[in-house]
Amino acid sequence: MTGRLVIVGLGPGDVAMRTPQVDAALAGATDLIGYGPYLQRVEAAPDAVRHASDNREELDRARHALTLAAAGRRVAVVSSGDAGVFAMASAVFEAIEHGEPQWRLLDIAVLPGISAMLAVAARVGAPLGHDFCVLSLSDNLKPWPLVLRRLDAAASAGFSMALYNPVSTARPWQLGEALALLRDRLPGTVPVVFATAVSRPEERIVLTDLANAIPAQADMRTLILVGTETSRLIPRGEGRAAFLYAPRGAV
Amino acid sequence: MTGRLVIVGLGPGDVAMRTPQVDAALAGATDLIGYGPYLQRVEAAPDAVRHASDNREELDRARHALTLAAAGRRVAVVSSGDAGVFAMASAVFEAIEHGEPQWRLLDIAVLPGISAMLAVAARVGAPLGHDFCVLSLSDNLKPWPLVLRRLDAAASAGFSMALYNPVSTARPWQLGEALALLRDRLPGTVPVVFATAVSRPEERIVLTDLANAIPAQADMRTLILVGTETSRLIPRGEGRAAFLYAPRGAV
């Protein structure tokens, strides 16, 4: 077992937000595995092999990475953001648990990255400065009523929220239903941020509120932040975007 | 208004997890403001002024930083982890909202960092790989019954949890009460991680379960992760620590 598997998070896009630890792991890899557009953003050794895949077959990709590492390769599995937040790390551990016994003996490390929620929060102020929940709106792997139940619990207990995977072509109506539930539980003035491609050239940030939030403001790359009744907006004038933050004592 | 204020997250400790963006901001600062032990970990320009403070008077520190920036200095406010997660960013925006009107016109940026929860999760596997809540157990700025209500909501809806600020000398009994509530709601086999000083030489990680979790395993630097009934442990044998992860479809 001389192979090594690292599961790395690239951060939101800007290389200035990628950690040196991740850069070093990428430079030392013989094989890089991940969604094609992410792999394109990565610098690696000249002779490194890039195994691009589409964004769906996560378990296949994980098994492929483990097979290569078990054969002695130094493999980097690449996610955007943080690999442990709705990304490849869980898929790799699922593959290990249900796969070859010797995979458990491999040298395996997860290297954290700046997650989308942290990058988006920093971009608009400090909206996650107090208690918050992080949810995926995807019902590919869990029943939709459970998503609604968790949204309900988070809103009712006064958590801010970071919502991942808000829409896809296969999930066109779920976001509208999620926003409708939140409008039932919270005042329409609660701030909502739609953030797409943060730190990348095509970055788009929309700061609105629950009453005016519409699903068309999101695509599959969008992260949504939902505040609380105690969220604060600081207008700045002169064409500057307002700051949004959660007071430290947000009750 | 030529001054600049950056609010930066240093990450958990290891400089290999600090982003280049943050390093550049620190190198360009004329003044660094933060808790003394964090400032000691930072490289800065030779003539930069370090304003060390204790870890309590956050609003005073924020006002001091804004006053310096308004006077034309390039100020870096330093937090460990991510500045937007139970750290200095919210305090700075509170100071702006209630402070001098011209502070709103300053060049202000928050630069994200690897938060403790992401570093700890990566260290043990992928325990935050599905829906999770992030809570502070401190009742300095919110009533304790609200903390319990949020713990109850999170546990009842099947969220994993990252618990910040578990104990301090002024808050000795709260963690015991929080764990008792979780034991009421969840099976004793739910995994619990006590992680202290992750990525630093004195790192200490304890992987246990709710039935065996005791407050003495935490101090004021500890982050606690609490799993769910669907959390998975992968034993590895041969003296290797088990992996802990949340399946992608965790219901």
Side-chain angles (χ1 to χ4, degrees), chain A residues 34 42 44 51 58 71 115 139 149 151 159 206 249:
Chain A
V42 159
H51 309 265
E58 292 186 333
S115 57
D139 58 350
R149 187 174 149 229
L151 284 169
F159 286 101
V206 176

Side-chain angles (χ1 to χ4, degrees), chain B residues 118-144:
Chain B
L118 299 185
V120 171
R123 190 70 182 69
V124 299
L128 302 180
H130 208 68
D131 302 335
F132 63 97
C133 289
V134 187
L135 287 92
S136 169
L137 291 190
S138 171
D139 58 350
N140 287 344
L141 292 166
K142 65 184 165 186
W144 180 245

Side-chain angles (χ1 to χ4, degrees), chain B residues 7 36 39 56 65 89 93 96 100-101 120 131 136 149 162 203 237 249:
Chain B
I7 309 154
L39 287 192
R56 283 166 295 183
F93 290 109
I96 293 170
E100 304 293 328
V120 171
D131 302 335
S136 169
R149 187 173 149 231
E203 174 180 297

Side-chain angles (χ1 to χ4, degrees), chain A residues 86 133-155 161 163 173-174 177-178 181-182 185, chain B residues 130-133 153-160 186 228-230 246-251:
Chain A
F86 305 121
C133 289
V134 187
L135 288 91
S136 170
L137 292 190
S138 170
D139 58 350
N140 287 346
L141 292 167
K142 65 185 165 185
W144 180 245
L146 180 63
V147 179
L148 293 179
R149 187 174 149 229
R150 288 184 180 160
L151 284 169
D152 186 14
M161 289 172 232
L163 306 179
W173 53 265
Q174 284 84 339
E177 203 167 286
L181 179 142
L182 293 175
R185 301 293 184 282
Chain B
H130 208 68
D131 302 335
F132 63 97
C133 289
S156 304
F159 286 101
S160 303
L186 298 169
T228 71
E229 294 185 54
T230 63
R248 296 168 305 150
V251 295

Side-chain angles (χ1 to χ4, degrees), chain A residues 43-207:
Chain A
E43 289 185 28
D47 57 348
V49 184
R50 292 170 198 246
H51 309 265
S53 62
D54 75 22
N55 207 4
R56 281 166 297 181
E57 279 307 319
E58 292 186 333
L59 266 185
D60 285 349
R61 215 186 306 165
R63 287 188 205 104
H64 183 200
L66 288 157
T67 304
L68 286 168
R73 309 285 291 179
R74 296 191 308 281
V75 182
V77 173
V78 173
S79 285
S80 73
D82 180 85
V85 177
F86 305 121
M88 278 300 294
S90 278
V92 171
F93 290 109
E94 265 182 65
I96 293 170
E97 185 178 12
H98 304 291
E100 304 294 327
Q102 77 260 29
W103 287 352
R104 300 182 183 210
L105 305 182
L106 286 166
D107 177 7
I108 297 174
V110 183
L111 305 183
I114 300 291
S115 57
M117 61 183 168
L118 299 185
V120 171
R123 189 71 181 69
V124 298
L128 302 180
H130 208 69
D131 301 335
F132 63 98
C133 289
V134 187
L135 288 91
S136 170
L137 292 190
S138 170
D139 58 350
N140 287 346
L141 292 167
K142 65 185 165 185
W144 180 245
L146 180 63
V147 179
L148 293 179
R149 187 174 149 229
R150 288 184 180 160
L151 284 169
D152 186 14
S156 303
F159 286 101
S160 303
M161 289 172 232
L163 306 179
Y164 281 73
N165 305 319
V167 289
S168 73
T169 47
R171 297 181 290 106
W173 53 265
Q174 284 84 339
L175 176 56
E177 203 167 286
L179 291 171
L181 179 142
L182 293 175
R183 272 191 286 268
D184 262 4
R185 301 293 184 282
L186 299 169
T189 51
V190 162
V192 177
V193 177
F194 290 85
T196 306
V198 164
S199 87
R200 310 199 61 194
E202 66 272 30
E203 174 180 296
R204 191 179 75 236
I205 309 241
V206 176
L207 173 54

